């Protein structure tokens, strides 16, 4: 039996979900090492929601749709990879995607999600999240909201490790990101085809993230 | 390859935990030096900053640098070995796949505190490392690692006279706290102690290979009961059917 | 998605400039057609040709559609270059469109060292770039876009790029270029300079960075305040020298 969709969404959005998410900062540590001023972090959230998060949320929504329809996920993964040109950024996403798949197979063995994810060599995070959302009974809008919320939440959690901040302040950032998250939901919740996944890029974010493994002192893998 | 079928190449996975500066990296380097000729080895490090320990180990020249991998923990070394082991588990599996067949993979925790122990979902057994320089009363303070890790190492016993600690007393207190589980007082200048460590590791690898070894979870802070409970808790992990924990 | 609606006048007939290179009787045949740019043959032999593109008007004004289609037949090599950069001028309320399609067939090579597309104040440009490289084909493309003529903030440019290799998506991007984007998008940059290889992945020389695309290919990109600061001309020379002979 499927959990209530609100319950399922809370479960999947929990920052403590054991998929390895705590090892990444949603691009924040690369940005700070690249020269972003801490006062600009809320604006960085805006940029992410308008660009890379839109790509990931769209990918997840299409992966969810494909999983429900019993279709393979290869072309969703390819569409995501074509929108993620840096191999470093892809590898970081895949690291969590593999953890996500492991958990999906554990929580929903024998589900359409488990069988859709199994043949992929290494699923991207949004592909695995979208497929898992199908298993958990989330609709497209909840799937998009989950991806967007998780990105902002990860960034806010990482900010506390990286900058001297009052935890209430980062929680406030998260709250204020609400309208931006809903804009992502509106833009992608209806998508069903890989070609329709948004492709907005953030070239500077991408350069910062690509350079991350070359920094000698870092707390996060991405 | 999907992450679910690597049973044939599964190594014995040994966690090395303990507070900062007690000599976890040195202990791993020692095992590499002592056993590198007879066992196929791999090492995963968890650092506060990226790969300090990994670089130290690579620089030590005790193991092919490609067999030493660092995992970033997002400033949460405790989480990475206990609450969410995903990143470490993938690193171990990748190492096992890339250098199959490995006999032993050692996972070094980021130096944390007395409460950090490995999840049974990540390692088959664990060593908890203290040193005499941390003070003679550390053992009495206790903690799950000290009481119930598969092996307690009291390191740098050669330094005891210099820091005013009675190493023998520390070892006796360790034995008392551990209900008969093994304790080794280790010094790299004491060949007998090195031989003891070497023998323990070899026995564990052999036991794992024969399928006799049953992992025991030291558990979180609240001490409860003995090995039987831990073993039962661990069998849950295996029943989950994720196919990773092959024997 | 925040794609800007662009009004384009439709009363003028849009002529597509074309460059086609096709095998014929053991040699190769060039097919050329003029549009807002005109192709001029510089060199043409049995298997390769070099063609430059010359603007036929004051180039991009509001309502203009610059359409270019380039196709390189199996086993041939075409080297394309621009005589000068392109400036998109103030559109007086009308947007303009640059629509480019590049097709590279099996075993063929296309190189194009494009000169900058400069977006002046008041210009609203939509650029569509469609690239299809067949299995075994090779592309090397330099692509520079710049905001504003000197002293200007510049207008708005949306670059929609879709590149496929062997029918699979290789690089899909909607790049927004304009002033005032939030941190992490372009930073202080006024120039986005890119070199893309597709169908092959050249070695990246020391001092340069390139993304390894998921499909065989690489993208090296620099974000600059001044276009002359770019070091991509060096990379271009290096990668060009790595192209195997036809």
């Amino acid at each position: 039996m499927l959990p209530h969709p609100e319950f399922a969404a809370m479960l999947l959005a929990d920052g403590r979900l054991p998929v390895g998410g705590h090892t990444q900062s949603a691009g924040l540590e690369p940005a700070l090492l690249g020269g972003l001023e801490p006062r600009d972090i809320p604006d960085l959230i805006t940029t992410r929601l308008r660009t890379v998060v839109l790509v990931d949320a769209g990918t997840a929504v299409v992966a969810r749709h494909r999983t429900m329809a019993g279709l393979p996920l290869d072309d969703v993964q390819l569409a995501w990879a074509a929108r993620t040109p840096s191999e470093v950024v892809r590898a970081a996403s895949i690291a969590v995607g593999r953890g996500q798949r492991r958990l999906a197979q554990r929580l929903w063995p024998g589900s359409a999600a488990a069988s859709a994810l199994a043949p992929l060599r290494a699923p991207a995070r949004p592909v695995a999240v979208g497929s898992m959302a199908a298993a958990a009974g989330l609709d497209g809008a909840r799937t998009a909201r989950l991806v967007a919320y998780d990105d902002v939440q990860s960034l806010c959690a990482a900010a506390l490790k990286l900058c001297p901040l009052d935890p209430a302040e980062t929680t406030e950032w998260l709250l204020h990101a609400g309208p931006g998250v809903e804009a992502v939901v509106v833009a992608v919740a209806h998508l069903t085809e890989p070609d329709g996944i948004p492709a907005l890029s953030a070239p500077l974010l991408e350069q910062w993230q690509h350079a991350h493994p070359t920094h000698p002192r870092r707390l996060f893998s991405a | 390859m999907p992450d679910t079928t690597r049973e044939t190449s599964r190594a014995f996975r040994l966690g090395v935990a303990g507070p900062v500066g007690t000599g976890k990296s040195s202990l791993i380097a020692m095992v590499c030096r002592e056993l590198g000729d007879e066992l196929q080895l791999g090492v995963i490090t968890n650092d506060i900053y990226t790969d300090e320990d990994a670089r130290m180990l690579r620089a030590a020249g005790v193991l092919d640098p490609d067999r030493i991998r660092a995992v970033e923990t997002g400033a949460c070394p405790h989480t990475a070995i206990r609450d969410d082991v995903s990143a470490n588990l993938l690193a171990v599996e990748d190492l096992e796949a890339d250098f199959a067949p490995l006999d032993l993979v050692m996972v070094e925790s980021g130096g944390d505190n007395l409460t950090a122990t490995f999840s049974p979902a990540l390692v088959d057994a664990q060593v908890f490392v203290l040193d005499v320089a941390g003070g003679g009363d550390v053992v009495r303070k206790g903690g799950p690692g000290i009481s119930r890790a598969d092996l307690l190492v009291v390191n740098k016993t050669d330094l005891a006279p210099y820091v005013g600690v009675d190493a023998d007393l520390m070892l006796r207190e360790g034995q008392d706290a551990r209900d008969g589980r093994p304790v080794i007082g280790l010094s790299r200048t004491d060949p007998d102690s090195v031989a003891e460590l070497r023998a323990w590791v070899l026995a564990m690898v052999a036991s794992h290979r024969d399928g006799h070894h049953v992992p025991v979870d030291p558990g979180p802070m609240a001490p409860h009961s003995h090995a039987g409970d831990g073993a039962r808790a661990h069998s849950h992990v295996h029943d989950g059917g994720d196919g990773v924990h092959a024997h | 998605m925040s794609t800007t609606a662009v009004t384009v006048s439709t009363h003028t007939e849009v002529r597509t400039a074309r460059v086609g290179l096709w095998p014929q009787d053991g040699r190769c045949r060039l097919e050329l057609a003029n549009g807002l740019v005109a192709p001029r043959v510089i060199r043409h032999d049995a298997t390769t040709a070099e063609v430059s593109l010359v603007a036929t008007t004051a180039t991009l004004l509001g309502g203009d559609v610059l359409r270019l289609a380039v196709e390189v037949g199996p086993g041939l090599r075409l080297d394309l270059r621009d005589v000068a950069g392109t400036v998109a001028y103030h559109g007086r309320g009308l947007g303009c469109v640059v629509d480019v399609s590049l097709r590279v067939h099996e075993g063929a090579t296309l190189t194009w060292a494009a000169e900058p597309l400069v977006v002046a104040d008041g210009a609203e440009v939509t650029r569509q770039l469609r690239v299809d490289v067949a299995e075994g084909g090779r592309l090397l493309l330099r692509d520079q876009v710049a905001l504003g003529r000197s002293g200007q903030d510049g207008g708005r440019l949306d670059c929609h790029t879709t590149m496929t290799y062997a029918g699979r998506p290789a690089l899909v991007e909607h790049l927004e270029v304009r002033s005032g984007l939030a941190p992490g998008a372009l930073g202080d940059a006024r120039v986005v300079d890119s070199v893309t290889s597709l169908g092959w992945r050249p070695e990246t020389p020391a001092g340069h960075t390139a993304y390894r695309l998921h499909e065989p290919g690489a993208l090296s990109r620099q974000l600059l305040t001044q276009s002359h600061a770019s070091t991509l001309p060096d990379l271009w020379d290096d990668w060009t020298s790595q192209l195997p002979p036809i």
Side-chain angles (χ1 to χ4, degrees):
Chain A
M1 199 183 105
L2 285 175
H4 189 284
E6 302 302 343
F7 177 89
M10 285 191 246
L11 185 148
L12 295 183
D14 189 334
R16 285 169 299 188
L17 199 70
V19 295
H22 73 97
T23 65
Q24 303 195 355
S25 70
L28 179 61
E29 189 179 42
L32 292 168
L33 290 172
L36 182 87
E37 294 291 337
R39 66 168 179 276
D40 287 336
I41 297 175
D43 289 334
L44 183 74
I45 294 173
T46 307
T47 299
R48 289 187 65 84
L49 288 173
R50 290 191 64 247
T51 57
V52 290
V53 173
L54 207 51
V55 175
D56 276 5
T59 302
V61 166
V62 175
R64 174 204 160 271
H65 172 80
R66 293 258 153 158
T67 302
M68 305 278 286
L71 296 167
L73 296 173
D74 309 54
D75 51 356
V76 187
Q77 174 101 359
L78 278 179
W80 166 83
R83 287 157 176 77
T84 314
S86 158
E87 74 277 18
V88 173
V89 179
R90 289 198 302 275
S93 176
I94 281 169
V96 179
R98 289 170 65 189
Q100 199 94 35
R101 168 168 67 185
R102 183 193 301 278
L103 188 65
Q105 287 167 337
R106 174 70 180 264
L107 299 182
W108 289 283
S111 65
S115 37
L117 289 171
L120 291 181
R121 199 179 59 79
R125 181 179 197 170
V127 172
V129 170
S131 198
M132 197 168 181
L138 300 192
D139 58 15
R142 285 190 177 90
T143 303
R145 192 175 293 114
L146 167 67
V147 170
Y149 173 85
D150 191 48
D151 194 87
V152 183
Q153 163 190 258
S154 302
L155 190 150
C156 289
L160 290 175
K161 310 275 189 194
L162 295 165
C163 305
L165 285 163
D166 178 346
E169 188 175 351
T170 57
T171 309
E172 209 171 10
W173 295 347
L174 185 53
L175 177 64
H176 291 161
V181 168
E182 292 313 308
V184 171
V185 173
V186 168
V188 304
H190 61 283
L191 295 177
T192 55
E193 293 302 318
D195 283 350
I197 297 170
L200 270 148
S201 65
L204 191 53
L205 256 181
E206 204 165 71
Q207 290 193 350
W208 287 335
Q209 289 185 268
H210 187 80
H212 198 55
T214 64
H215 286 287
R217 290 172 73 77
R218 54 187 194 272
L219 293 173
F220 295 90
S221 63
Chain B
M1 189 203 299
D3 296 321
T4 43
T5 50
R6 286 179 174 168
E7 313 201 347
T8 48
S9 60
R10 195 187 186 292
F12 175 61
R13 300 168 182 178
L14 179 64
V16 180
V20 178
T22 54
K24 297 184 292 297
S25 300
S26 309
L27 184 142
I28 287 171
M30 183 186 282
V31 171
C32 292
R33 244 184 327 263
E34 291 293 317
L35 295 172
D37 291 339
E38 48 197 297
L39 296 180
Q40 288 294 320
L41 302 174
V43 174
I44 305 289
T45 64
N46 286 201
D47 293 301
I48 295 174
Y49 278 119
T50 321
D51 56 354
E52 302 289 333
D53 288 335
R55 276 193 284 170
M56 176 274 198
L57 280 169
R58 288 183 192 120
V62 291
L63 192 63
D64 170 5
D66 292 341
R67 293 176 177 229
I68 303 168
R69 301 217 175 135
V71 167
E72 292 91 343
T73 63
C76 299
H78 196 151
T79 304
I81 62 166
R82 182 103 205 156
D83 308 25
D84 179 2
V85 300
S86 310
N88 271 311
L89 205 48
L90 292 174
V92 171
E93 288 170 2
D94 287 348
L95 203 55
E96 288 173 353
D98 293 348
F99 295 97
L102 288 181
D103 300 303
L104 171 63
V105 174
M106 287 177 280
V107 184
E108 178 182 354
S109 77
D112 205 344
N113 52 37
L114 293 173
T115 67
T117 57
F118 284 87
S119 162
L122 178 58
V123 299
D124 302 308
Q126 53 194 303
V127 181
F128 201 84
V129 186
L130 295 175
D131 71 343
V132 295
D137 57 345
V138 176
V139 179
R140 279 194 303 279
K141 286 184 181 168
I146 290 173
S147 313
R148 292 182 301 278
D150 298 83
L151 174 67
L152 176 67
V153 166
V154 176
N155 205 4
K156 311 180 196 172
T157 51
D158 52 311
L159 297 183
Y162 305 103
V163 293
V165 166
D166 182 341
D168 291 334
L169 176 64
M170 223 175 143
L171 289 168
R172 273 201 308 280
E173 285 177 345
Q175 266 141 8
D176 291 346
R178 287 174 53 76
D179 242 354
R181 296 182 191 84
V183 182
I184 295 178
L186 186 68
S187 163
R188 57 182 163 185
T189 61
D190 172 8
D192 289 348
S193 72
V194 176
E196 210 182 334
L197 175 68
R198 187 181 190 284
W200 182 85
V201 174
L202 280 175
M204 293 300 281
V205 172
S207 165
H208 168 78
R209 203 176 275 151
D210 299 344
H212 293 145
H213 174 69
V214 178
V216 175
D217 178 15
M221 268 310 277
H224 65 283
S225 184
H226 41 73
D229 280 353
R232 199 156 62 239
H234 186 73
S235 73
H236 275 309
V237 175
H238 288 250
D239 291 342
D242 63 356
V244 173
H245 305 278
H247 293 277
Chain C
M1 228 192 315
S2 62
T3 311
T4 315
V6 175
T7 317
V8 176
S9 128
T10 51
H11 66 270
T12 51
E13 188 194 345
V14 175
R15 281 188 306 155
T16 302
R18 291 182 189 280
V19 182
L21 187 64
W22 297 103
Q24 190 173 50
D25 307 328
R27 290 185 51 82
C28 67
R29 169 174 56 88
L30 265 171
E31 264 180 13
L32 307 174
N34 293 350
L36 280 185
V37 290
R40 299 278 182 265
V41 180
I42 297 173
R43 185 173 50 74
H44 181 193
D45 60 27
T47 53
T48 69
E50 188 174 347
V51 171
S52 70
L53 299 171
V54 183
T56 57
T57 68
T59 60
L60 297 175
L61 304 173
D64 275 349
V65 178
L66 189 164
R67 199 158 274 162
L68 171 68
V70 178
E71 197 157 356
V72 188
L76 304 176
R77 171 165 172 168
L78 175 66
D79 295 301
L80 205 58
R81 52 183 162 112
D82 295 340
V83 166
T86 306
V87 180
Y89 292 96
H90 201 300
R92 320 238 171 265
L94 287 178
C96 63
V97 172
V98 177
D99 180 5
V100 176
S101 153
L102 310 175
R103 291 183 69 89
V104 183
H105 289 259
E106 305 80 36
T109 298
L110 170 62
T111 75
W112 184 12
E115 292 293 322
L117 169 62
V118 179
V119 182
D121 278 359
E124 292 203 6
V125 186
T126 303
R127 193 190 72 180
Q128 305 277 356
L129 173 61
R130 169 86 203 189
V131 175
D132 296 287
V133 176
E135 186 121 35
R138 288 185 174 86
L139 169 82
L140 185 60
L141 175 69
R142 173 130 184 242
D143 159 35
Q144 308 168 67
V145 295
L147 267 184
R149 310 177 74 199
S150 57
Q152 295 186 336
D153 284 339
R156 300 164 66 91
L157 168 66
D158 285 275
C159 300
H160 298 271
T161 300
T162 300
M163 298 196 188
T164 69
Y165 177 72
R168 297 184 298 271
L171 184 60
V172 179
E173 183 186 43
H174 174 187
L175 172 67
E176 293 176 314
V177 185
R178 65 200 55 161
S179 294
L181 291 171
L186 296 176
D188 301 331
R190 327 261 323 137
V191 178
V192 181
D193 194 354
S194 312
V195 174
T196 310
S197 79
L198 187 57
W200 65 302
R201 195 180 281 138
E203 294 287 320
T204 304
H208 289 271
T209 302
Y211 304 148
R212 292 168 60 93
L213 302 181
H214 176 71
E215 295 293 333
L219 167 63
S220 185
R221 175 174 276 171
Q222 295 185 354
L223 306 176
L224 307 155
T225 50
Q226 302 281 335
S227 57
H228 59 73
S230 175
T231 61
L232 289 186
D234 301 337
L235 184 75
W236 173 268
D237 291 343
D238 189 282
W239 283 9
T240 308
S241 72
Q242 293 183 49
L243 273 169
I246 288 291

